[in-house]
Amino acid sequence: MAFVGAKIKIIQPLNLNVHASTHPHSFTSNNNCKFTSLSSPFLGSTRTHTLTLTRSISPRRSAASSSTVVAVSDVVKEKKAKSTSNLLLTKEEGLEVYEDMYLGRAFEDMCAQMYYRGKMFGFVHLYNGQEAVSSGFIKLLKKEDSVVSTYRDHVHALSKGVPARAVMSELFGKKTGCCRGQGGSMHMFSAEHNVLGGFAFIGEGIPVATGAAFTSKYKREVLKEADCDHVTLAFFGDGTANNGQFFECLNMAALWKLPIIFVVENNLWAIGMSHLRATSDPEIWKKGPAFGMPGVHVDGMDVLKVREVAKEAIGRARRGEGPTLVECETYRFRGHSLADPDELRDPAEKAHYAARDPITQLKKYLIESKLVSEADLKAIEKKIDEVVEDAVEFADESPAPSRSQLLENVFADPRGFGIGPDGKYRCEDPKFTEGTAQV
Amino acid sequence: MASIFQVIGAATAAVSSSTSFDTKKFQLCSRRSVSERKSSFVVVKASGSNRIGSRADQLVTNAVATKADTPPAASKPGHELLLFEALREGLEEEMERDARVCVMGEDVGHYGGSYKVTKGLADKYGDLRVLDTPIAENSFTGMGIGAAMTGLRPIIEGMNMGFLLLAFNQISNNCGMLHYTSGGQFKIPVVIRGPGGVGRQLGAEHSQRLESYFQSIPGIQMVACSTPYNAKGLMKAAIRSDNPVILFEHVLLYNLKERIPDEEYVLNLEEAEMVRPGEHVTILTYSRMRYHVMQAAKTLVNKGYDPEVIDIRSLKPFDLYTIGNSIKKTHLVLIVEECMRTGGIGASLTAAINENFNDYLDAPIVCLSSQDVPTPYAGTLEEWTVVQPPQIVAAVEQLCR
């Protein structure tokens, strides 16, 4: 069956070689798709059909050597290809983005170290490799815009402005953490920076993000705050794109033209489930137009391309034109979580993406386009290393939550614990603040 | 049933004529000090005691209170309406008062609500404030929660409580927990409401009682309304509360008629309501079973018993003060509920009472619940799944022996 679609330009990822022989699980022959890097699309296989695509493939740079950045994000409704331009951002922006990505990487690497030293426990999901998506999108937001994430949320919180100290303390479970130690790795919240979580179940945050976007529209139209143009970004993965909540929210967001951008961080793996094995049509961006919103596919390893798509999507949302679905093709360099042995993924696949490290790419671009000097970048790296060290020190020295914190924050209005046998509200019991009351 | 309403009606009339709702007359005791103290309305609390003004530091009035005092200056006569209208009135008053209050649910807007609770509101407030959602409970409940986190105060309607099972993920994980996991940074002032309970041959899936499933979720409050008076009061209290509140209505009670005060009033979410004071046995009930109990009470009174009937109203948390005072007086407890036997509200209440008031009990607590059976369609079978007045009478007689 020939795939008839709009002319789409997609940057090719790697060779997706899923050999039945190298894995203990038996992959069916359907999944043996060998793609050459130039002519095949990023596509999963479908059963016995061979997909031939009618695509015009843009001049691409090979993984290692190009110095021009080609922006190739396209909306499904045909659009002219962007011409290459040499300078896609200013020096300040470049340094800001570089710093943010480097912070994300350094922080996550430190998390891994701390985890193995027994400073943090439970499920910790690291973001190494995906920094371009976070920095590409979030650095374009205002403070009042909201970000909703999943359990892989440390870097989203950092990009949005939550101090590294607060995040590290939260991971250590200390009371100085951004959620007072009550949330943990998977529940990063910040009212000040409008980070609405941090959700452990996938898909759970998408309706919450839709709600935040709804509030923005409500403020503008019902409360008549005419300048309210806050947008919401919902980050989630390829696994979530098969979940009902995703589809229900795509529908509602498009229906009411909510100012939300659905950002799919497609890193091809949901723990050990390859995206191709889980999805009937692996091209997630196509699901946008099915609901009446543009669907865009972008190379998520290239922060400049992500930034360009983000600018357009955020602009759309701010102008009240409605939601956008952006599929960022990216990769996580580490396992799903620190407990994941990461045995299933093909080393060649990992090597391929490691060669396209977004930080290295940006560094190369910035230097080759003479925007910044090596010294500038080194200075940033040194500064960030210090920030991360300081965050660890701060978290180490912070106290653990005391018992009195146990019963606080269960209810916004603690009368919700009810009336005790003595006629007094339970929250008025002095033992309540000690955390030892019977509730 | 008619006689019960007469009793209620008479008592309400007596109360509204006897008390002037003058805030100066009532003193709020320290227990109430945490509640709102606006002079424009009165917080009405159910009295655990028999005698009006018996404790100087307690507010006294109640919809179905005891004997009235001599009437002071005439107050307004009140107005009669049906329960769903009372809900609507409460909702409308709150929407008028605070522009952030909005409603979302299936068919709440143009259709006016499947039980007419939101009738006319979309015309008045617009399609965004009274939002007709697509059929996606999990997602629009989550959307309501996200809206609540970012400053709105949504009321999420489940067309039938049973549909909220689809929203269990959002209700349990986000509604109940987000305030805690965010370290208190975000509050979720939502009201989740809808009709539940066994109706007239609606079939198993439309006759569910979800209070038993939701009661373990930390961080939420659950209330059940049973009369127009408490429906309006609880609706307003739930909307004003910063906690997530689940308001359980009952399909068969929407057409109850009662006279309610003209003045604005807000009830207390955590309190129980004294329906009929008595001396012999404490009967704890809520929602529709209140009426079965009152019907049985008539029979019991004729047979010489004096049951004390308490509508617990607050399903989570329990008002152990009112309940405890009653038990200390009568020493016998009968719980009558429509919830399932296993893991229901009655089961929790039995445990709570045993834990706190074991010394005061003369006999083990008797709990009458619905059968652990999916509600059958056939009318006769359906009748037998739910507790009926003769069973209540028999249980009381057995207890008091």
Side-chain angles (χ1 to χ4, degrees):
Chain A
M1 150 182 123
F3 167 70
V4 178
K7 291 217 177 74
I8 303 134
K9 297 177 187 186
I10 297 179
I11 283 287
Q12 289 317 311
L14 75 161
N15 286 342
L16 277 173
N17 264 336
V18 182
H19 292 297
S21 52
T22 55
H23 298 286
H25 306 279
S26 55
F27 280 59
T28 63
S29 58
N30 300 336
N31 278 330
N32 265 340
C33 25
K34 264 188 175 217
F35 297 111
T36 61
S37 61
L38 280 184
S39 57
S40 314
F42 161 62
L43 241 204
S45 67
T46 57
R47 312 210 152 252
T48 48
H49 310 300
T50 38
L51 294 169
T52 54
L53 296 159
T54 54
R55 304 179 158 205
S56 53
I57 295 163
S58 66
R60 72 172 35 70
R61 52 187 179 78
S62 66
S65 65
S66 162
S67 60
T68 50
V69 173
V70 178
V72 274
S73 56
D74 266 33
V75 201
V76 173
K77 312 195 195 313
E78 303 205 6
K79 236 182 126 184
K80 288 190 288 240
K82 294 214 166 20
S83 56
T84 52
S85 69
N86 279 330
L87 290 174
L88 289 169
L89 35 61
T90 65
K91 176 178 178 175
E92 288 74 30
E93 290 170 345
L95 290 175
E96 186 191 9
V97 173
Y98 186 81
E99 181 172 331
D100 192 53
M101 294 211 293
Y102 192 82
L103 171 63
R105 180 67 60 85
F107 189 92
E108 298 290 71
D109 282 339
M110 184 61 79
C111 280
Q113 261 193 61
M114 292 299 117
Y115 188 84
Y116 294 126
R117 283 195 208 168
K119 300 286 181 86
M120 58 177 90
F121 301 92
F123 292 125
V124 179
H125 308 83
L126 298 182
Y127 201 72
N128 297 50
Q130 299 181 196
E131 295 85 0
V133 181
S134 179
S135 302
F137 268 95
I138 300 181
K139 280 309 172 196
L140 293 171
L141 295 181
K142 301 189 292 202
K143 193 167 186 190
E144 298 84 16
D145 295 322
S146 305
V147 166
V148 174
S149 179
T150 57
Y151 43 73
R152 208 177 295 281
D153 55 351
H154 308 166
V155 179
H156 293 136
L158 291 171
S159 291
K160 193 67 175 51
V162 182
R165 281 184 162 193
V167 181
M168 193 58 89
S169 296
E170 184 63 31
L171 291 170
F172 281 31
K174 302 293 177 83
K175 72 171 3 159
T176 46
C178 54
C179 300
R180 306 178 81 198
Q182 290 167 193
S185 166
M186 298 185 280
H187 303 282
M188 292 292 169
F189 288 84
S190 169
E192 187 191 338
H193 299 278
N194 287 304
V195 177
L196 302 180
F199 292 92
F201 286 21
I202 58 149
E204 212 172 43
I206 306 178
V208 174
T210 312
F214 178 80
T215 301
S216 176
K217 185 180 167 95
Y218 190 95
K219 280 186 179 160
R220 199 188 230 172
E221 296 184 15
V222 176
L223 300 179
K224 306 288 185 225
E225 293 172 23
D227 53 353
C228 179
D229 61 353
H230 307 325
V231 305
T232 308
L233 297 185
F235 290 94
F236 50 92
D238 43 286
T240 310
N242 291 326
N243 188 281
Q245 289 170 102
F246 169 60
F247 299 115
E248 289 173 359
C249 290
L250 282 184
N251 178 44
M252 293 198 289
L255 182 64
W256 298 316
K257 286 201 160 41
L258 300 181
I260 181 174
I261 298 137
F262 297 98
V263 184
V264 185
E265 295 169 321
N266 185 351
N267 56 22
L268 303 178
W269 291 88
I271 308 188
M273 190 62 167
S274 149
H275 177 58
L276 308 177
R277 291 184 66 220
T279 318
S280 56
D281 185 347
E283 293 187 89
I284 302 174
W285 58 267
K286 277 160 68 175
K287 296 175 183 174
F291 287 92
M293 72 177 81
V296 186
H297 178 279
V298 67
D299 175 7
M301 301 305 274
D302 187 327
V303 67
L304 297 172
K305 294 194 190 105
V306 173
R307 199 177 151 93
E308 184 137 353
V309 170
K311 260 193 212 153
E312 200 176 300
I314 292 173
R316 251 182 68 86
R318 285 212 206 283
R319 292 188 298 269
E321 291 168 23
T324 315
L325 174 65
V326 181
E327 178 185 355
C328 302
E329 195 197 308
T330 180
Y331 203 75
R332 53 169 164 82
F333 293 158
R334 290 179 180 267
H336 164 74
S337 72
L338 288 173
D340 174 18
D342 195 16
E343 289 160 347
L344 266 185
R345 299 192 298 173
D346 189 354
E349 184 185 89
K350 292 194 227 181
H352 185 97
Y353 278 100
R356 301 177 60 216
D357 186 327
I359 297 179
T360 327
Q361 284 193 88
L362 179 66
K363 184 169 188 172
K364 200 181 174 69
Y365 172 75
L366 288 174
I367 291 184
E368 284 178 6
S369 56
K370 310 260 190 312
L371 267 177
V372 306
S373 66
E374 285 263 8
D376 292 332
L377 297 182
K378 277 267 179 304
I380 289 183
E381 289 169 19
K382 183 159 181 293
K383 172 175 145 200
I384 293 297
D385 288 336
E386 281 170 17
V387 163
V388 174
E389 287 278 347
D390 167 76
V392 172
E393 246 178 66
F394 175 77
D396 248 337
E397 289 163 12
S398 296
S402 51
R403 180 105 196 219
S404 61
Q405 218 180 294
L406 182 64
L407 301 170
E408 293 172 15
N409 304 139
V410 178
F411 288 105
D413 179 354
R415 281 180 293 165
F417 279 117
I419 300 168
D422 57 359
K424 290 210 291 258
Y425 273 98
R426 289 212 147 104
C427 57
E428 291 170 341
D429 178 351
K431 289 207 272 184
F432 183 83
T433 41
E434 290 167 30
T436 51
Q438 169 82 285
V439 286
Chain B
M1 273 292 235
S3 58
I4 298 170
F5 294 125
Q6 280 175 13
V7 165
I8 297 171
T12 318
V15 164
S16 40
S17 63
S18 71
T19 56
S20 68
F21 284 99
D22 179 8
T23 50
K24 289 198 279 287
K25 191 170 171 178
F26 301 102
Q27 295 163 42
L28 297 171
C29 74
S30 63
R31 167 176 165 199
R32 304 290 154 248
S33 63
V34 288
S35 55
E36 291 178 286
R37 278 177 186 262
K38 289 209 184 125
S39 57
S40 57
F41 70 91
V42 172
V43 174
V44 178
K45 150 200 163 328
S47 167
S49 118
N50 223 352
R51 301 174 295 286
I52 292 179
S54 61
R55 292 167 58 135
D57 58 346
Q58 260 189 9
L59 259 185
V60 150
T61 61
N62 185 305
V64 200
T66 54
K67 298 200 190 90
D69 272 351
T70 55
S75 68
K76 298 191 211 159
H79 54 286
E80 228 178 35
L81 41 53
L82 304 178
L83 195 144
F84 74 88
E85 290 169 345
L87 286 168
R88 189 191 330 140
E89 217 176 73
L91 185 48
E92 198 166 343
E93 282 174 19
E94 290 304 303
M95 286 181 83
E96 196 64 52
R97 179 177 174 267
D98 185 348
R100 298 169 302 163
V101 176
C102 56
V103 184
M104 45 182 89
E106 293 157 15
D107 275 331
V108 293
H110 294 190
Y111 195 74
S114 48
Y115 290 93
K116 301 290 170 250
V117 174
T118 47
K119 187 164 183 198
L121 294 181
D123 290 329
K124 190 169 172 193
Y125 294 108
D127 278 350
L128 208 57
R129 263 189 102 177
V130 186
L131 186 74
D132 277 324
T133 61
I135 307 175
E137 276 81 8
N138 197 17
S139 292
F140 71 69
T141 305
M143 195 173 93
I145 291 166
M149 285 167 78
T150 42
L152 301 185
R153 302 186 78 92
I155 293 136
I156 301 165
E157 173 171 317
M159 192 185 269
N160 183 288
M161 263 288 164
F163 301 169
L164 292 180
L165 286 174
L166 289 150
F168 209 117
N169 178 17
Q170 292 290 338
I171 294 175
S172 171
N173 282 330
N174 288 347
C175 193
M177 295 195 196
L178 274 185
H179 186 73
Y180 195 78
T181 51
S182 67
Q185 292 183 82
F186 292 100
K187 59 180 191 191
I188 325 272
V190 295
V191 177
I192 298 175
R193 50 160 292 267
V198 176
R200 291 257 179 277
Q201 298 191 248
L202 299 178
E205 292 179 20
H206 281 84
S207 311
Q208 298 191 68
R209 282 78 77 196
L210 296 199
E211 49 266 26
S212 55
Y213 307 154
F214 288 142
Q215 65 177 323
S216 302
I217 301 173
I220 58 161
Q221 279 186 255
M222 306 200 307
V223 286
C225 62
S226 49
T227 66
Y229 180 75
N230 64 33
K232 180 177 172 184
L234 289 175
M235 171 70 98
K236 289 170 71 91
I239 296 174
R240 291 188 194 192
S241 170
D242 278 344
N243 295 334
V245 179
I246 305 186
L247 173 58
F248 290 92
E249 302 154 13
H250 197 288
V251 275
L252 292 182
L253 299 185
Y254 278 127
N255 289 322
L256 284 182
K257 190 185 277 209
E258 191 183 3
R259 181 167 288 272
I260 65 169
D262 288 328
E263 295 87 357
E264 196 183 1
Y265 67 95
V266 179
L267 293 177
N268 201 323
L269 283 177
E270 295 89 24
E271 276 184 33
E273 185 179 315
M274 175 68 68
V275 182
R276 183 194 186 283
E279 300 285 332
H280 288 167
V281 58
T282 300
I283 306 183
L284 302 172
T285 181
Y286 66 92
S287 193
R288 179 191 169 207
M289 285 298 115
R290 168 186 174 139
Y291 297 98
H292 282 206
V293 166
M294 290 310 288
Q295 203 176 336
K298 255 184 25 187
T299 318
L300 286 168
V301 164
N302 287 340
K303 292 190 176 189
Y305 294 95
D306 187 22
E308 177 154 293
V309 181
I310 295 178
D311 181 341
I312 61 173
R313 250 170 35 189
S314 174
L315 305 180
K316 179 180 197 278
F318 295 130
D319 179 1
L320 289 180
Y321 181 64
T322 311
I323 294 171
N325 282 352
S326 179
I327 296 174
K328 288 175 189 172
K329 187 168 54 166
T330 66
H331 310 295
L332 295 170
V333 178
L334 170 67
I335 302 172
V336 180
E337 57 162 3
E338 202 177 311
C339 211
M340 315 295 238
R341 150 149 267 106
T342 306
I345 298 288
S348 293
L349 192 49
T350 306
I353 296 174
N354 275 328
E355 210 172 82
N356 288 292
F357 307 114
N358 198 23
D359 290 340
Y360 297 98
L361 292 172
D362 280 349
I365 301 171
V366 176
C367 182
L368 298 179
S369 328
S370 298
Q371 302 285 339
D372 276 347
V373 155
T375 313
Y377 166 72
T380 45
L381 290 177
E382 187 185 64
E383 216 178 279
W384 293 324
T385 58
V386 176
V387 179
Q388 300 293 344
Q391 293 167 273
I392 303 173
V393 172
V396 170
E397 289 179 334
Q398 175 80 349
L399 254 185
C400 290
R401 192 156 302 145

